[in-house]
Amino acid sequence: MRKSLPFNDIRHLQAHQFLVDEAYLLDAQQYEAWLDTMTDDIRYVMPVRVTTARGANVDRSLFPKPGMDHFDEDKYSLSQRVARMGTEHVWAEDPPSRLRHFITNVRTFESDEPGHLIVESAELLFRSRGDVNESALLSCGREDVLRWDGGTDSWKLARRSIFVDESVLRMQNLAVFL
């Protein structure tokens, strides 16, 4: 088991600040600014979760199964989604959802790669759409890799893996970012 950095370690504080600032950008739907927090080689994935009984004799190392993702994106596909948000063709988000990203349980770990941090967090997304009476909640765990960018003197998101806590999503669509 790897040991997390202490809460008073400057790298942990910076990583936590990164996540809080990112949540604000997503809540405020400032998606262009959000894209600027990422490296050019970002990988942003949310695998499909599969639930099986313990006695089912299934190879647990295959869960989540490779290639079974709700999304597996790079900087180009994320920027295309963001660009679409500004058009009249984003029916799933017209009118825009009201969002609140709650980030908690932040743990930071040193990486074997210099200038990188591994950051685990839990997220609860509250989403309200238009005049619909029922809001949606989505709970997930995330594992991020942050990379130090000397040019901007800041951490950038290089990889995000999102592990939703349900096998069947009860949200109308995944037109939001986690």
Side-chain angles (χ1 to χ4, degrees):
M1 184 169 141
R2 58 188 175 183
K3 187 175 184 223
S4 61
L5 296 174
F7 286 173
N8 63 352
D9 186 296
I10 187 66
R11 295 166 297 172
H12 172 77
L13 296 170
Q14 291 170 337
H16 197 163
Q17 184 71 52
F18 176 92
L19 296 178
V20 169
D21 290 344
E22 179 195 32
Y24 169 79
L25 292 173
L26 291 172
D27 291 346
Q29 300 180 12
Q30 295 181 14
Y31 300 123
E32 292 287 342
W34 176 67
L35 282 174
D36 290 339
T37 68
M38 298 176 186
T39 63
D40 289 337
D41 63 343
I42 179 76
R43 179 116 185 267
Y44 186 85
V45 297
M46 187 169 108
V48 172
R49 299 295 294 260
V50 179
T51 304
T52 60
R54 286 190 180 127
N57 293 328
V58 175
D59 183 357
R60 308 283 310 158
S61 67
L62 297 177
F63 292 95
K65 289 187 177 185
M68 287 183 55
D69 301 307
H70 291 288
F71 45 77
D72 183 348
E73 301 198 70
D74 59 14
K75 185 82 172 250
Y76 175 77
S77 63
L78 287 168
S79 65
Q80 291 303 299
R81 282 180 63 192
V82 166
R84 188 169 177 263
M85 290 291 211
T87 72
E88 68 274 2
H89 302 293
V90 65
W91 303 292
E93 277 298 297
D94 190 13
S97 295
R98 288 180 211 79
L99 304 169
R100 186 73 59 212
H101 294 75
F102 296 91
I103 308 299
T104 186
N105 298 1
V106 177
R107 297 184 336 137
T108 308
F109 305 89
E110 289 184 339
S111 171
D112 293 336
E113 294 184 64
H116 289 73
L117 288 176
I118 299 166
V119 184
E120 293 177 352
S121 62
E123 177 180 19
L124 180 64
L125 173 70
F126 171 84
R127 181 182 187 195
S128 175
R129 292 214 13 137
D131 293 332
V132 176
N133 288 335
E134 204 166 301
S135 57
L137 292 174
L138 190 134
S139 172
C140 62
R142 302 184 310 183
E143 183 175 281
D144 297 336
V145 175
L146 299 182
R147 182 184 307 145
W148 184 255
D149 180 356
T152 62
D153 204 29
S154 64
W155 292 101
K156 299 266 187 172
L157 183 63
R159 178 170 174 86
R160 171 161 291 157
S161 298
I162 303 162
F163 303 101
V164 181
D165 294 328
E166 341 178 63
S167 295
V168 177
L169 301 181
R170 292 177 270 171
M171 195 171 277
Q172 291 178 352
N173 59 57
L174 284 174
V176 295
F177 299 103
L178 299 167

